[in-house]
Amino acid sequence: QGGLHAAPTSSKASVRTSPLVYAAIHNYGGKAGRGQSVTIPARPYMGFGPGDISDLTELAEEMLGWR
């Protein structure tokens, strides 16, 4: 039910997150609870960090035989 789910096709690879309502608040942070009385800090588990794009580009180029 929860967690990350791989969704590959013949033309792309993607990862889906849990469809549960509370999944986004854990990734992005924000106000939650009754009357939005609790502030939950962001704990990102999805997304790209500073070096990820270059790492992914390098990996893709190697797999395609461009390097």
Side-chain angles (χ1 to χ4, degrees):
Q1 205 184 85
L4 302 175
H5 305 278
T9 68
S10 62
S11 62
K12 67 180 180 177
S14 60
V15 176
R16 294 178 297 138
T17 61
S18 171
L20 298 174
V21 174
Y22 58 80
I25 195 74
H26 291 283
N27 193 59
Y28 301 111
K31 296 282 190 177
R34 291 189 178 147
Q36 296 190 345
S37 59
V38 177
T39 300
I40 297 178
R43 296 181 187 103
Y45 61 93
M46 293 288 295
F48 296 107
D52 293 332
I53 298 296
S54 62
D55 289 346
L56 289 170
T57 300
E58 183 177 330
L59 178 62
E61 289 176 351
E62 286 175 9
M63 292 179 75
L64 292 168
W66 296 354
R67 284 183 177 233

